[in-house]
Amino acid sequence: MTKKGTGLKIAISAVLCLFILILAIRQGSVYISLKDLFGIIGGHLTGKGTPEGIEPMMDSIFWTIRMPRAIMAFLVGGALSMSGACMQALLQNPLASSYTLGVSSGASLGAALVLILEISIPVLSGFMLPFAGFVFGLATVVIALMLTSAIDKSVSNTTVVLIGMVLSLFVNGMMNLLSTLNADHSKQLILWMMGSFSARGWKHCAILFPVCVLGFICLMIMSRKMDIMSFGDLQAQAMGVDAKKTKILAILICALLTGVSVAFTGVIGFIDLAAPHVVRKIFGPTHKMVIPMSFIYGGAFMALCDLISRTLLSPREIPVGAVTALLGAPFFAYVFFASRRKRA
Amino acid sequence: MKIEVKNMSAFYGKTEILQGINLEIKQGEKVFIGGSNGSGKTTLLRVLAGIIPHKGEVLVDGRDISSMKRKDAAKLIALMPQTSDIYFPYTVYETVLLGTYASAGNSFMSNNANAVIHAENCMKECGVFDLKERHLDELSGGQLQRVLLARTFAQKSPFLFLDEPGNNLDIKYRAELCDRLNKWSAGKTGEVDNTLVAVFHDLEQAKRCCARAVMMKGGEIVFDGNIKDAMTREMLMKVYDFDVASYVET
């Protein structure tokens, strides 16, 4: 791919992403003109408050509800996609995802315990559920890595994936048992697990944003190592990359990105699997492109899915996880198999 | 600079693959590792490159290979494995450039200009420069083998370990590979004489590229000396349990 061709693709992607983000903010039961939207954003960013001619209620809807929700969806989609891209390269497995090591099942168990036992820590106030989800999600990954290291000193990919699967199934079993024994909380738990961006505000974005920036920087610094790891552990070692150390460090970064995302929004699948593959088809497999473009594509796709989830059957809201899978699966199949057919 | 191996053994799980290996490879040598399938040739190369764990001592320039940082070890020893897994379709150019990882000091966003020139030269020398924009999954087995060889040369290490580099190559490219290896072996990397350690199944190729033979059987070294002495009917019979001389001209 020529530099000019890549530049053009990046520019088109950026414009498309911005368009989707603006669409996700504007569309809904209440509509706003672009001028008023930028007026509201400008007013808040400059500290001047709501511009003249715009009702305070409109300001409230767009600044405190729609914008943080769309940005949150974008950040979660981006974080999940970046970590999906990284896991696929590290484990040399195109079907690996950010959930491979059991982050989602761990987080779900944490959420289930909080809901069922009605645990509350005053300092965390509204953040108890995400906090428990994050801690349990990360703990599951750490346990998976410790078990893997104990069983297989070289931390081979097959062991990592198998331990992740076994642990996920075990933790899922525990959670199912808990929710069966406490049927009163089942509905609440199922809704959490299906994922939603409802009622996500700036305070949530303020936590996820620095995590995304940190994860992005770390993964970009490791991008060349990820390229080399894509050829397998043996070749990576031969070429000067400490495969075991790189794998553990990158998995922990991915667990952080996924854990915080899942903790705030529940389990939203598919995007982390599909977005990196779509990006590789468009931009090639080098990770200095795959990581940032996965963030942009994953983020835009999640924002679009959230828009559909809240508007399609309005006022009812469809779980965003269902939308990502229903919309994403055929699109992913088209992109993946159409280009394969062309190449054949 | 030399590689010293003292009473080394290596395992896959609990199975002992190599036992009681003692070996010294001095800089500038051209060593053929021979033996039948499963005799431990590949494991020996990997242990010498510090990629798989071992018992006993493997010293490179007096330093224990397993205690060296991977990047430092890769600056000294480049290993080309006999098989390569392709999971994502990198281009030939991207793949060969990755070979410069240990030596070039590239930043994560851009490549060192000298590394790019070196990688391009390696592609030209291995006859894959014209394929540079092609994806790895679009190459034939022989083309892929030459790309991986170019990537190994791109590593710029004075010790070159090749595991069956002639795999999938047609007769023309096998001959060219020999010429290329002989030219490389006669040179230096920095101040260090280049050293070739290669596993071949083609004995003719081994004779053309190497001066010393280390013959293995059942995880042990059964011969270490001049390659001409290894190519006798009796020695080959002993190593391969087969009358090689009745099959090929030795």
Short mmCIF file of all heavy atoms in Angstrom, two decimals, chain A residues 1 88-89 92 94 220-221 223-228 230-232 234-235 237-242 277 280 285-288 343, chain B residues 46 51 70-71 74 79 81 83-85 87-90 94-95 98 101-102 106-111 133 136-138 151 155:
data_model
loop_
_atom_site.label_atom_id
_atom_site.label_comp_id
_atom_site.label_asym_id
_atom_site.label_seq_id
_atom_site.Cartn_x
_atom_site.Cartn_y
_atom_site.Cartn_z
N MET A 1 0.84 -1.20 0.00
CA MET A 1 0.00 0.00 0.00
C MET A 1 0.87 1.26 0.00
O MET A 1 1.80 1.35 0.79
CB MET A 1 -0.87 0.01 1.26
CG MET A 1 -2.14 0.78 1.09
SD MET A 1 -3.05 1.01 2.65
CE MET A 1 -2.89 -0.55 3.47
N GLN A 88 -5.27 -11.29 19.41
CA GLN A 88 -5.18 -12.13 18.19
C GLN A 88 -3.72 -12.28 17.75
O GLN A 88 -3.30 -13.36 17.36
CB GLN A 88 -6.02 -11.51 17.07
CG GLN A 88 -7.51 -11.68 17.29
CD GLN A 88 -8.36 -10.73 16.46
OE1 GLN A 88 -7.87 -10.06 15.57
NE2 GLN A 88 -9.64 -10.68 16.76
N ALA A 89 -2.97 -11.19 17.84
CA ALA A 89 -1.56 -11.25 17.42
C ALA A 89 -0.73 -12.07 18.41
O ALA A 89 0.06 -12.92 18.02
CB ALA A 89 -1.00 -9.84 17.31
N GLN A 92 -1.59 -15.68 18.26
CA GLN A 92 -1.58 -16.15 16.86
C GLN A 92 -2.86 -16.91 16.56
O GLN A 92 -2.85 -18.02 16.01
CB GLN A 92 -0.37 -17.06 16.60
CG GLN A 92 0.96 -16.36 16.70
CD GLN A 92 1.73 -16.76 17.93
OE1 GLN A 92 1.78 -17.93 18.23
NE2 GLN A 92 2.34 -15.83 18.62
N PRO A 94 -6.71 -16.04 15.12
CA PRO A 94 -7.65 -15.04 14.61
C PRO A 94 -8.99 -15.04 15.35
O PRO A 94 -9.76 -14.10 15.22
CB PRO A 94 -7.86 -15.46 13.15
CG PRO A 94 -6.76 -16.40 12.83
CD PRO A 94 -6.36 -17.05 14.11
N MET A 220 0.90 0.77 21.41
CA MET A 220 1.64 1.34 20.28
C MET A 220 3.14 1.11 20.45
O MET A 220 3.84 0.79 19.50
CB MET A 220 1.35 2.84 20.13
CG MET A 220 0.00 3.15 19.50
SD MET A 220 -0.22 2.37 17.89
CE MET A 220 0.74 3.43 16.83
N ILE A 221 3.62 1.29 21.69
CA ILE A 221 5.04 1.05 21.95
C ILE A 221 5.38 -0.42 21.67
O ILE A 221 6.47 -0.74 21.20
CB ILE A 221 5.41 1.47 23.40
CG1 ILE A 221 5.35 2.99 23.51
CG2 ILE A 221 6.78 0.95 23.81
CD1 ILE A 221 5.45 3.53 24.92
N SER A 223 3.92 -2.26 19.46
CA SER A 223 3.35 -2.69 18.18
C SER A 223 4.31 -3.53 17.33
O SER A 223 3.91 -4.50 16.70
CB SER A 223 2.86 -1.47 17.38
OG SER A 223 3.94 -0.63 17.09
N ARG A 224 5.59 -3.17 17.34
CA ARG A 224 6.53 -3.94 16.53
C ARG A 224 6.73 -5.34 17.13
O ARG A 224 6.84 -6.33 16.40
CB ARG A 224 7.87 -3.21 16.43
CG ARG A 224 8.68 -3.66 15.22
CD ARG A 224 10.00 -2.94 15.17
NE ARG A 224 9.86 -1.52 14.94
CZ ARG A 224 9.95 -0.96 13.73
NH1 ARG A 224 10.15 -1.69 12.69
NH2 ARG A 224 9.83 0.34 13.59
N LYS A 225 6.73 -5.41 18.45
CA LYS A 225 6.84 -6.73 19.10
C LYS A 225 5.63 -7.58 18.74
O LYS A 225 5.73 -8.79 18.54
CB LYS A 225 6.92 -6.58 20.62
CG LYS A 225 8.26 -6.14 21.13
CD LYS A 225 8.30 -6.16 22.63
CE LYS A 225 9.64 -5.66 23.13
NZ LYS A 225 9.71 -5.56 24.58
N MET A 226 4.47 -6.94 18.67
CA MET A 226 3.25 -7.69 18.30
C MET A 226 3.35 -8.21 16.87
O MET A 226 2.92 -9.32 16.58
CB MET A 226 2.01 -6.81 18.45
CG MET A 226 1.48 -6.79 19.86
SD MET A 226 -0.09 -5.97 19.88
CE MET A 226 0.40 -4.38 20.43
N ASP A 227 3.92 -7.38 15.98
CA ASP A 227 4.13 -7.85 14.60
C ASP A 227 4.98 -9.11 14.61
O ASP A 227 4.67 -10.09 13.93
CB ASP A 227 4.86 -6.77 13.77
CG ASP A 227 3.95 -5.60 13.41
OD1 ASP A 227 2.73 -5.80 13.36
OD2 ASP A 227 4.47 -4.49 13.20
N ILE A 228 6.06 -9.06 15.38
CA ILE A 228 6.98 -10.20 15.40
C ILE A 228 6.31 -11.41 16.07
O ILE A 228 6.44 -12.54 15.60
CB ILE A 228 8.29 -9.81 16.12
CG1 ILE A 228 9.01 -8.74 15.28
CG2 ILE A 228 9.19 -11.01 16.34
CD1 ILE A 228 10.24 -8.14 15.93
N SER A 230 3.33 -12.16 15.91
CA SER A 230 2.34 -12.72 14.98
C SER A 230 2.88 -13.93 14.21
O SER A 230 2.13 -14.70 13.65
CB SER A 230 1.90 -11.68 13.95
OG SER A 230 1.39 -10.57 14.57
N PHE A 231 4.22 -14.04 14.16
CA PHE A 231 4.83 -15.15 13.43
C PHE A 231 5.06 -16.37 14.33
O PHE A 231 5.67 -17.34 13.90
CB PHE A 231 6.16 -14.72 12.82
CG PHE A 231 5.99 -13.81 11.64
CD1 PHE A 231 5.87 -12.44 11.79
CD2 PHE A 231 5.91 -14.34 10.35
CE1 PHE A 231 5.69 -11.60 10.71
CE2 PHE A 231 5.74 -13.51 9.26
CZ PHE A 231 5.63 -12.14 9.43
N GLY A 232 4.61 -16.31 15.56
CA GLY A 232 4.78 -17.44 16.46
C GLY A 232 5.86 -17.17 17.49
O GLY A 232 6.78 -16.39 17.26
N LEU A 234 8.27 -19.05 18.67
CA LEU A 234 9.62 -19.52 18.35
C LEU A 234 10.36 -18.47 17.51
O LEU A 234 11.49 -18.10 17.80
CB LEU A 234 9.53 -20.85 17.60
CG LEU A 234 10.85 -21.41 17.13
CD1 LEU A 234 11.65 -21.95 18.30
CD2 LEU A 234 10.64 -22.50 16.09
N GLN A 235 9.70 -17.99 16.47
CA GLN A 235 10.34 -17.00 15.60
C GLN A 235 10.54 -15.69 16.34
O GLN A 235 11.54 -15.01 16.13
CB GLN A 235 9.50 -16.79 14.34
CG GLN A 235 9.36 -18.08 13.59
CD GLN A 235 9.11 -17.86 12.11
OE1 GLN A 235 9.65 -16.97 11.49
NE2 GLN A 235 8.28 -18.70 11.55
N GLN A 237 11.14 -15.32 19.51
CA GLN A 237 12.32 -15.51 20.36
C GLN A 237 13.59 -15.39 19.52
O GLN A 237 14.55 -14.74 19.93
CB GLN A 237 12.29 -16.91 20.99
CG GLN A 237 11.14 -17.14 21.94
CD GLN A 237 11.55 -16.85 23.36
OE1 GLN A 237 11.54 -15.69 23.79
NE2 GLN A 237 11.91 -17.86 24.10
N ALA A 238 13.57 -16.05 18.35
CA ALA A 238 14.76 -16.05 17.49
C ALA A 238 15.09 -14.63 17.00
O ALA A 238 16.24 -14.31 16.76
CB ALA A 238 14.54 -16.97 16.30
N MET A 239 14.05 -13.80 16.88
CA MET A 239 14.27 -12.45 16.36
C MET A 239 14.53 -11.42 17.46
O MET A 239 14.67 -10.24 17.18
CB MET A 239 13.07 -12.03 15.50
CG MET A 239 13.02 -12.78 14.18
SD MET A 239 11.38 -12.76 13.46
CE MET A 239 11.33 -11.11 12.83
N GLY A 240 14.54 -11.89 18.71
CA GLY A 240 14.94 -10.99 19.79
C GLY A 240 13.82 -10.50 20.69
O GLY A 240 14.02 -9.56 21.47
N VAL A 241 12.65 -11.11 20.60
CA VAL A 241 11.55 -10.70 21.47
C VAL A 241 11.36 -11.75 22.56
O VAL A 241 11.28 -12.94 22.27
CB VAL A 241 10.23 -10.56 20.67
CG1 VAL A 241 9.05 -10.28 21.59
CG2 VAL A 241 10.36 -9.45 19.64
N ASP A 242 11.31 -11.30 23.81
CA ASP A 242 11.05 -12.23 24.92
C ASP A 242 9.54 -12.54 24.90
O ASP A 242 8.73 -11.77 25.41
CB ASP A 242 11.45 -11.58 26.24
CG ASP A 242 11.39 -12.56 27.39
OD1 ASP A 242 10.54 -13.48 27.35
OD2 ASP A 242 12.19 -12.43 28.33
N HIS A 277 -10.20 -7.49 12.41
CA HIS A 277 -10.11 -8.19 11.13
C HIS A 277 -10.49 -7.26 9.97
O HIS A 277 -9.85 -7.29 8.92
CB HIS A 277 -11.04 -9.41 11.12
CG HIS A 277 -10.45 -10.57 11.87
ND1 HIS A 277 -9.31 -11.22 11.45
CD2 HIS A 277 -10.81 -11.17 13.01
CE1 HIS A 277 -9.01 -12.18 12.31
NE2 HIS A 277 -9.91 -12.17 13.26
N ARG A 280 -7.56 -5.01 9.41
CA ARG A 280 -6.45 -5.70 8.71
C ARG A 280 -6.72 -5.81 7.21
O ARG A 280 -5.82 -5.72 6.40
CB ARG A 280 -6.22 -7.09 9.29
CG ARG A 280 -5.51 -7.07 10.62
CD ARG A 280 -5.06 -8.45 11.04
NE ARG A 280 -4.63 -8.43 12.42
CZ ARG A 280 -5.40 -8.80 13.45
NH1 ARG A 280 -6.61 -9.26 13.24
NH2 ARG A 280 -4.95 -8.71 14.68
N PRO A 285 -1.71 -5.87 8.07
CA PRO A 285 -1.62 -6.40 9.43
C PRO A 285 -0.64 -5.71 10.38
O PRO A 285 -0.56 -6.09 11.54
CB PRO A 285 -1.18 -7.85 9.19
CG PRO A 285 -0.42 -7.81 7.91
CD PRO A 285 -0.93 -6.66 7.12
N THR A 286 0.13 -4.70 9.91
CA THR A 286 1.12 -4.11 10.84
C THR A 286 0.41 -3.36 11.97
O THR A 286 -0.51 -2.58 11.72
CB THR A 286 2.09 -3.14 10.12
OG1 THR A 286 1.31 -2.23 9.40
CG2 THR A 286 3.03 -3.86 9.19
N HIS A 287 0.88 -3.61 13.19
CA HIS A 287 0.13 -3.13 14.35
C HIS A 287 0.22 -1.64 14.60
O HIS A 287 -0.59 -1.10 15.34
CB HIS A 287 0.52 -3.95 15.58
CG HIS A 287 -0.08 -5.31 15.52
ND1 HIS A 287 0.55 -6.37 14.89
CD2 HIS A 287 -1.28 -5.77 15.93
CE1 HIS A 287 -0.23 -7.42 14.96
NE2 HIS A 287 -1.34 -7.10 15.57
N LYS A 288 1.19 -0.96 14.00
CA LYS A 288 1.21 0.50 14.19
C LYS A 288 0.00 1.12 13.46
O LYS A 288 -0.39 2.24 13.74
CB LYS A 288 2.54 1.12 13.75
CG LYS A 288 2.78 1.17 12.29
CD LYS A 288 4.07 1.94 12.01
CE LYS A 288 4.30 2.01 10.52
NZ LYS A 288 5.55 2.65 10.17
N ARG A 343 -9.19 -12.64 -3.66
CA ARG A 343 -7.80 -13.07 -3.69
C ARG A 343 -7.66 -14.43 -4.38
O ARG A 343 -6.72 -14.69 -5.08
CB ARG A 343 -7.27 -13.13 -2.26
CG ARG A 343 -5.78 -13.25 -2.22
CD ARG A 343 -5.27 -13.12 -0.82
NE ARG A 343 -5.33 -11.75 -0.36
CZ ARG A 343 -4.96 -11.36 0.83
NH1 ARG A 343 -4.52 -12.22 1.69
NH2 ARG A 343 -5.02 -10.10 1.18
N ARG B 46 18.14 -24.98 18.40
CA ARG B 46 17.32 -24.10 19.26
C ARG B 46 17.97 -23.86 20.62
O ARG B 46 17.88 -22.77 21.17
CB ARG B 46 15.92 -24.70 19.44
CG ARG B 46 15.12 -24.64 18.15
CD ARG B 46 13.76 -25.25 18.30
NE ARG B 46 13.05 -25.27 17.02
CZ ARG B 46 11.84 -25.73 16.84
NH1 ARG B 46 11.17 -26.23 17.87
NH2 ARG B 46 11.26 -25.69 15.65
N ILE B 51 16.79 -20.56 22.72
CA ILE B 51 15.33 -20.43 22.61
C ILE B 51 14.59 -21.44 23.47
O ILE B 51 13.49 -21.18 23.94
CB ILE B 51 14.93 -20.56 21.12
CG1 ILE B 51 15.32 -19.27 20.43
CG2 ILE B 51 13.45 -20.82 20.95
CD1 ILE B 51 15.13 -19.33 18.96
N ARG B 70 16.89 -11.50 25.37
CA ARG B 70 16.61 -12.05 24.04
C ARG B 70 17.17 -11.16 22.92
O ARG B 70 17.69 -11.64 21.94
CB ARG B 70 15.10 -12.21 23.82
CG ARG B 70 14.44 -13.46 24.32
CD ARG B 70 15.14 -14.76 24.02
NE ARG B 70 15.68 -14.89 22.68
CZ ARG B 70 16.69 -15.68 22.35
NH1 ARG B 70 17.29 -16.41 23.25
NH2 ARG B 70 17.11 -15.77 21.11
N LYS B 71 17.06 -9.87 23.12
CA LYS B 71 17.51 -8.95 22.07
C LYS B 71 19.03 -9.06 21.89
O LYS B 71 19.52 -9.06 20.77
CB LYS B 71 17.12 -7.52 22.43
CG LYS B 71 16.82 -6.65 21.24
CD LYS B 71 16.20 -5.35 21.68
CE LYS B 71 15.79 -4.53 20.48
NZ LYS B 71 15.11 -3.30 20.85
N ALA B 74 19.82 -12.28 20.15
CA ALA B 74 19.46 -12.22 18.72
C ALA B 74 20.46 -11.38 17.92
O ALA B 74 20.60 -11.57 16.72
CB ALA B 74 18.05 -11.67 18.55
N LEU B 79 18.46 -17.28 13.96
CA LEU B 79 18.00 -18.65 13.69
C LEU B 79 16.85 -18.63 12.70
O LEU B 79 15.87 -17.91 12.89
CB LEU B 79 17.53 -19.31 15.00
CG LEU B 79 16.75 -20.62 14.84
CD1 LEU B 79 17.68 -21.77 14.45
CD2 LEU B 79 16.03 -20.98 16.13
N PRO B 81 14.01 -20.96 11.55
CA PRO B 81 13.37 -22.25 11.84
C PRO B 81 12.98 -22.99 10.55
O PRO B 81 12.88 -22.37 9.49
CB PRO B 81 12.12 -21.87 12.63
CG PRO B 81 12.27 -20.45 12.99
CD PRO B 81 13.17 -19.84 11.97
N THR B 83 10.13 -24.46 9.86
CA THR B 83 8.76 -24.17 9.42
C THR B 83 8.39 -22.77 9.89
O THR B 83 8.96 -22.26 10.85
CB THR B 83 7.74 -25.15 10.04
OG1 THR B 83 7.92 -25.14 11.45
CG2 THR B 83 7.93 -26.54 9.50
N SER B 84 7.43 -22.20 9.20
CA SER B 84 6.99 -20.87 9.61
C SER B 84 5.47 -20.82 9.59
O SER B 84 4.84 -21.26 8.64
CB SER B 84 7.54 -19.83 8.65
OG SER B 84 7.11 -18.57 9.06
N ASP B 85 4.92 -20.31 10.67
CA ASP B 85 3.47 -20.18 10.74
C ASP B 85 3.08 -18.80 10.24
O ASP B 85 3.62 -17.80 10.71
CB ASP B 85 2.99 -20.35 12.18
CG ASP B 85 3.41 -21.71 12.72
OD1 ASP B 85 3.27 -22.70 11.98
OD2 ASP B 85 3.87 -21.79 13.87
N TYR B 87 0.01 -16.40 10.14
CA TYR B 87 -1.35 -16.19 10.63
C TYR B 87 -1.97 -14.93 10.02
O TYR B 87 -3.16 -14.84 9.84
CB TYR B 87 -1.35 -16.06 12.16
CG TYR B 87 -0.85 -17.31 12.84
CD1 TYR B 87 0.48 -17.41 13.24
CD2 TYR B 87 -1.70 -18.38 13.07
CE1 TYR B 87 0.94 -18.56 13.85
CE2 TYR B 87 -1.24 -19.53 13.68
CZ TYR B 87 0.08 -19.61 14.08
OH TYR B 87 0.55 -20.75 14.67
N PHE B 88 -1.12 -13.95 9.76
CA PHE B 88 -1.62 -12.69 9.21
C PHE B 88 -0.77 -12.34 7.97
O PHE B 88 0.44 -12.50 7.99
CB PHE B 88 -1.52 -11.57 10.24
CG PHE B 88 -2.30 -11.89 11.50
CD1 PHE B 88 -1.65 -12.21 12.68
CD2 PHE B 88 -3.68 -11.90 11.49
CE1 PHE B 88 -2.36 -12.52 13.83
CE2 PHE B 88 -4.41 -12.21 12.63
CZ PHE B 88 -3.74 -12.52 13.81
N PRO B 89 -1.43 -11.89 6.91
CA PRO B 89 -0.71 -11.71 5.64
C PRO B 89 0.14 -10.44 5.54
O PRO B 89 -0.23 -9.49 4.88
CB PRO B 89 -1.85 -11.70 4.61
CG PRO B 89 -3.01 -11.16 5.36
CD PRO B 89 -2.86 -11.58 6.79
N TYR B 90 1.28 -10.45 6.20
CA TYR B 90 2.22 -9.34 6.05
C TYR B 90 2.78 -9.36 4.63
O TYR B 90 2.82 -10.41 3.99
CB TYR B 90 3.37 -9.48 7.05
CG TYR B 90 2.98 -9.15 8.47
CD1 TYR B 90 2.38 -10.09 9.28
CD2 TYR B 90 3.19 -7.88 8.97
CE1 TYR B 90 2.00 -9.79 10.58
CE2 TYR B 90 2.80 -7.56 10.28
CZ TYR B 90 2.21 -8.51 11.06
OH TYR B 90 1.83 -8.20 12.33
N GLU B 94 7.44 -5.93 4.63
CA GLU B 94 7.22 -5.79 6.09
C GLU B 94 7.91 -6.92 6.85
O GLU B 94 8.51 -6.71 7.91
CB GLU B 94 5.72 -5.82 6.40
CG GLU B 94 4.96 -4.59 5.94
CD GLU B 94 3.45 -4.80 5.82
OE1 GLU B 94 2.98 -5.97 5.91
OE2 GLU B 94 2.75 -3.81 5.59
N THR B 95 7.82 -8.14 6.29
CA THR B 95 8.38 -9.31 6.96
C THR B 95 9.90 -9.21 7.09
O THR B 95 10.46 -9.42 8.17
CB THR B 95 8.02 -10.59 6.18
OG1 THR B 95 6.61 -10.63 6.03
CG2 THR B 95 8.48 -11.84 6.89
N LEU B 98 11.12 -6.67 9.58
CA LEU B 98 11.01 -7.08 10.99
C LEU B 98 12.30 -7.77 11.45
O LEU B 98 12.61 -7.77 12.65
CB LEU B 98 9.82 -8.03 11.18
CG LEU B 98 8.43 -7.39 11.16
CD1 LEU B 98 7.36 -8.46 11.27
CD2 LEU B 98 8.27 -6.38 12.30
N TYR B 101 14.78 -5.97 13.74
CA TYR B 101 14.31 -5.54 15.07
C TYR B 101 15.43 -5.46 16.11
O TYR B 101 15.59 -4.46 16.79
CB TYR B 101 13.21 -6.49 15.57
CG TYR B 101 12.83 -6.29 17.01
CD1 TYR B 101 12.06 -5.20 17.40
CD2 TYR B 101 13.27 -7.17 18.00
CE1 TYR B 101 11.74 -4.99 18.72
CE2 TYR B 101 12.95 -6.97 19.33
CZ TYR B 101 12.18 -5.89 19.69
OH TYR B 101 11.87 -5.68 21.01
N ALA B 102 16.22 -6.54 16.21
CA ALA B 102 17.22 -6.59 17.29
C ALA B 102 18.39 -5.62 17.04
O ALA B 102 18.89 -5.01 17.99
CB ALA B 102 17.75 -8.01 17.44
N ASN B 106 15.10 0.52 15.77
CA ASN B 106 13.99 1.30 15.19
C ASN B 106 13.08 1.82 16.29
O ASN B 106 12.91 1.17 17.31
CB ASN B 106 13.15 0.40 14.28
CG ASN B 106 13.95 -0.13 13.10
OD1 ASN B 106 14.72 0.60 12.50
ND2 ASN B 106 13.78 -1.39 12.79
N SER B 107 12.50 3.00 16.05
CA SER B 107 11.49 3.46 17.00
C SER B 107 10.21 2.69 16.67
O SER B 107 10.13 2.01 15.65
CB SER B 107 11.25 4.96 16.84
OG SER B 107 10.47 5.19 15.68
N PHE B 108 9.19 2.81 17.54
CA PHE B 108 7.99 2.01 17.27
C PHE B 108 7.19 2.53 16.09
O PHE B 108 6.38 1.81 15.52
CB PHE B 108 7.13 1.86 18.53
CG PHE B 108 6.44 3.11 18.99
CD1 PHE B 108 5.16 3.41 18.56
CD2 PHE B 108 7.07 3.98 19.86
CE1 PHE B 108 4.52 4.57 18.98
CE2 PHE B 108 6.45 5.14 20.27
CZ PHE B 108 5.18 5.44 19.84
N MET B 109 7.41 3.77 15.70
CA MET B 109 6.63 4.31 14.58
C MET B 109 7.37 4.28 13.25
O MET B 109 6.77 4.14 12.20
CB MET B 109 6.21 5.75 14.90
CG MET B 109 5.00 5.85 15.80
SD MET B 109 3.59 4.90 15.22
CE MET B 109 2.97 5.95 13.92
N SER B 110 8.69 4.46 13.30
CA SER B 110 9.40 4.54 12.02
C SER B 110 10.64 3.65 12.02
O SER B 110 11.14 3.27 13.07
CB SER B 110 9.79 5.98 11.74
OG SER B 110 10.66 6.41 12.75
N ASN B 111 11.10 3.34 10.83
CA ASN B 111 12.26 2.48 10.69
C ASN B 111 13.52 3.30 10.45
O ASN B 111 13.49 4.30 9.75
CB ASN B 111 12.04 1.53 9.51
CG ASN B 111 10.93 0.56 9.78
OD1 ASN B 111 11.02 -0.26 10.69
ND2 ASN B 111 9.85 0.65 9.02
N GLU B 133 5.91 -6.30 -2.51
CA GLU B 133 4.55 -5.86 -2.17
C GLU B 133 3.58 -7.04 -2.03
O GLU B 133 2.41 -6.85 -1.69
CB GLU B 133 4.02 -4.89 -3.22
CG GLU B 133 4.77 -3.56 -3.31
CD GLU B 133 4.80 -2.78 -2.00
OE1 GLU B 133 3.85 -2.93 -1.20
OE2 GLU B 133 5.78 -2.05 -1.77
N LEU B 136 2.37 -12.65 2.21
CA LEU B 136 3.00 -13.96 2.43
C LEU B 136 2.09 -15.12 2.01
O LEU B 136 2.57 -16.15 1.57
CB LEU B 136 3.37 -14.12 3.91
CG LEU B 136 4.43 -13.16 4.45
CD1 LEU B 136 4.78 -13.52 5.89
CD2 LEU B 136 5.70 -13.17 3.61
N ASP B 137 0.77 -14.93 2.15
CA ASP B 137 -0.13 -16.03 1.80
C ASP B 137 -0.34 -16.13 0.28
O ASP B 137 -1.11 -16.97 -0.18
CB ASP B 137 -1.47 -15.92 2.54
CG ASP B 137 -2.18 -14.60 2.27
OD1 ASP B 137 -1.59 -13.73 1.61
OD2 ASP B 137 -3.33 -14.45 2.72
N GLU B 138 0.35 -15.27 -0.46
CA GLU B 138 0.26 -15.36 -1.93
C GLU B 138 1.52 -15.98 -2.54
O GLU B 138 1.67 -16.00 -3.75
CB GLU B 138 0.07 -13.96 -2.53
CG GLU B 138 -1.22 -13.28 -2.09
CD GLU B 138 -1.25 -11.79 -2.44
OE1 GLU B 138 -0.19 -11.21 -2.70
OE2 GLU B 138 -2.34 -11.23 -2.42
N ARG B 151 14.87 -12.48 5.76
CA ARG B 151 14.60 -11.91 7.08
C ARG B 151 15.70 -12.32 8.08
O ARG B 151 16.10 -11.53 8.94
CB ARG B 151 13.23 -12.40 7.59
CG ARG B 151 12.76 -11.65 8.81
CD ARG B 151 11.48 -12.22 9.35
NE ARG B 151 11.68 -13.55 9.89
CZ ARG B 151 10.71 -14.33 10.33
NH1 ARG B 151 9.46 -13.91 10.29
NH2 ARG B 151 10.96 -15.52 10.81
N GLN B 155 18.73 -9.84 10.10
CA GLN B 155 19.00 -9.75 11.55
C GLN B 155 20.45 -9.31 11.83
O GLN B 155 20.76 -8.85 12.91
CB GLN B 155 18.71 -11.12 12.19
CG GLN B 155 18.32 -11.03 13.65
CD GLN B 155 17.72 -12.33 14.14
OE1 GLN B 155 16.84 -12.91 13.50
NE2 GLN B 155 18.19 -12.80 15.28
#
